Amino acid sequence: MNAQTCIPIVVYPDGVAVDAIEEVFNLVSATLGSHILAYSDQFFADASNLINPRPPVHRPGYFVPSGAWYDGWETRRHNPEPFDWVVIRLGVASGKPKGVEINTAFFNGNEAPEISVDACYEDGEAADEAVMNENFRSWKELLGRRPCGPSQRQAWKLDGKLNSITHVRLRMWPDGGIARFRLYGSAIPVWPSDPAQEVELSAAVMGGVATGCSDQHFGGKENLLLPGRGVDMGDGWETKRSRSQGHLDWVIVKLGAAGKISKIVVDTAHFRGNFPQGVKVEGADLIEGGVLKYDDPSWVEVLPVQKVGPDQEFEFGKNMLLTSGEKRFSHLKLTMIPDGGIKRFRAFGTRHSEE
């Protein structure tokens, strides 16, 4: 319990606060495929709002049949039970949790006074049904009771005692409203049995993580590794307009496993007037525990500068890669020339085998 300390929040436009929790993404994002399985009550506002990747919005004076409209999860007053609860399936097969964020934005006077978080690892075809049962007894404490406060964002770094989970239960004591819930961590990938099978090594669901970038003024770097092509410019990586000659923006991606790259995809979906003029990709093979900077001399060119355009998927096969799928990489660096927005970055290849 003492190892769970409150950490500072850095508010980015995309609503992500990961500055004090390294190499993570939100494991309970609806975009990732996370979904609500069950809840005790959602009379005033739906529990599904908790896992909306967008920041909460405010509509003062707007009412619906149940009462004032809120962008979050809100339950009835006077809960006869000690707490209200919601059960959530992670958006990955299983994950390692590292941090929790609670946002009570715009809930003032009706916010949840306190929250706590439990987790479990439950697999098999009946797993979801099992954890939905109120009598399920395999929950383990992930974060003890913490005060929320009105219209605040707070996050806590976890102690690492639970290394693999599939479901979480958010409890609010005794009732009230919460705008957003984030569970930061890393995915535990399920690899194909054949190591020669091509997989998306960069995907978030396979353990890929965006570890650093030059800028993410309009859209977070972690969006690059999400599944699908998104819904608008808000769920991609977008930087500020540059004003200096020779400017470049970059992002570093740690692959889910070191491997040999056979194909790269850069998707500018929805970026029609603010796509980059060009992109290039470099790679490096970092020893576990090492530190890799954007200007490290170990970067090797994988894909030379390529022109890209608006709202399109650009695929670069093995014949365009300078390494020809022969060199092993643990990290890739995507560079935008000079700035702009990219929706998704995908690197396909085979996992490195020691044999």
Side-chain angles (χ1 to χ4, degrees):
M1 289 290 292
N2 292 334
Q4 297 167 337
T5 55
C6 190
I7 63 174
I9 295 296
V10 172
V11 180
Y12 297 123
D14 57 359
V16 175
V18 294
D19 61 302
I21 311 174
E22 298 177 351
E23 298 187 0
V24 296
F25 61 93
N26 181 18
L27 296 171
V28 292
S29 169
T31 305
L32 198 64
S34 180
H35 52 279
I36 304 296
L37 294 178
Y39 48 82
S40 58
D41 182 69
Q42 57 171 9
F43 183 83
F44 288 110
D46 290 353
S48 60
N49 291 323
L50 289 168
I51 57 174
N52 183 343
R54 301 299 180 91
V57 298
H58 191 32
R59 299 181 68 180
Y62 180 70
F63 286 81
V64 293
S66 59
W69 183 89
Y70 278 89
D71 187 8
W73 171 45
E74 186 181 4
T75 64
R76 292 176 176 88
R77 293 186 185 222
H78 314 307
N79 185 10
E81 302 297 327
F83 54 82
D84 275 315
W85 54 268
V86 59
V87 174
I88 306 171
R89 179 68 164 89
L90 269 58
V92 295
S94 63
K96 181 175 181 177
K98 297 182 180 180
V100 167
E101 180 188 314
I102 293 293
N103 187 346
T104 58
F106 311 117
F107 286 96
N108 190 338
N110 55 348
E111 75 280 355
E114 293 182 312
I115 60 93
S116 64
V117 183
D118 306 307
C120 70
Y121 183 92
E122 193 78 12
D123 59 2
E125 293 184 2
D128 288 352
E129 185 177 349
V131 301
M132 290 166 61
N133 192 316
E134 290 190 56
N135 296 319
F136 183 70
R137 293 291 180 262
S138 295
W139 294 114
K140 295 181 180 179
E141 184 178 275
L142 193 62
L143 181 70
R145 289 173 68 166
R146 295 290 189 274
C148 292
S151 202
Q152 294 181 22
R153 294 179 67 195
Q154 297 186 74
W156 297 270
K157 198 170 183 177
L158 300 175
D159 55 23
K161 291 180 179 179
L162 297 182
N163 290 320
S164 180
I165 66 170
T166 56
H167 301 76
V168 289
R169 179 178 64 171
L170 171 64
R171 294 191 281 180
M172 59 178 172
W173 304 75
D175 51 44
I178 298 170
R180 296 291 187 268
F181 170 56
R182 308 289 189 236
L183 178 68
Y184 296 119
S186 55
I188 300 173
V190 179
W191 299 107
S193 57
D194 181 3
Q197 182 176 332
E198 185 181 72
V199 294
E200 189 180 342
L201 295 171
S202 59
V205 296
M206 302 305 288
V209 179
T211 62
C213 68
S214 58
D215 180 81
Q216 52 182 354
H217 187 81
F218 293 110
K221 62 187 183 300
E222 66 284 345
N223 292 328
L224 287 168
L225 311 182
L226 295 175
R229 302 190 69 203
V231 296
D232 56 32
M233 288 192 302
D235 55 9
W237 172 48
E238 187 180 3
T239 64
K240 296 189 292 285
R241 293 186 186 221
S242 60
R243 304 301 184 185
S244 58
Q245 191 170 2
H247 180 87
L248 301 172
D249 278 318
W250 52 267
V251 62
I252 295 174
V253 173
K254 179 182 179 182
L255 303 177
K260 298 177 180 179
I261 306 301
S262 56
K263 182 174 69 176
I264 286 173
V265 175
V266 175
D267 189 358
T268 60
H270 305 110
F271 290 100
R272 301 184 178 95
N274 48 354
F275 56 93
Q277 296 301 294
V279 298
K280 69 174 180 178
V281 178
E282 298 163 276
D285 190 14
L286 181 67
I287 298 173
E288 188 68 30
V291 177
L292 190 63
K293 297 182 178 180
Y294 80 97
D295 58 352
D296 196 288
S298 62
W299 289 112
V300 175
E301 194 169 43
V302 176
L303 178 71
V305 175
Q306 302 292 321
K307 185 176 177 60
V308 294
D311 197 20
Q312 188 177 340
E313 237 178 356
F314 296 88
E315 185 175 308
F316 307 104
K318 187 179 290 188
N319 63 322
M320 301 185 69
L321 306 183
L322 300 181
T323 53
S324 302
E326 296 303 320
K327 187 173 176 60
R328 159 185 157 143
F329 297 109
S330 63
H331 292 68
L332 294 177
K333 179 173 69 171
L334 169 66
T335 299
M336 285 197 292
I337 305 166
D339 55 39
I342 294 175
K343 178 57 66 74
R344 299 289 185 263
F345 173 61
R346 310 193 192 284
F348 295 84
T350 55
R351 284 179 297 148
H352 177 76
S353 174
E354 300 294 342
E355 298 179 359

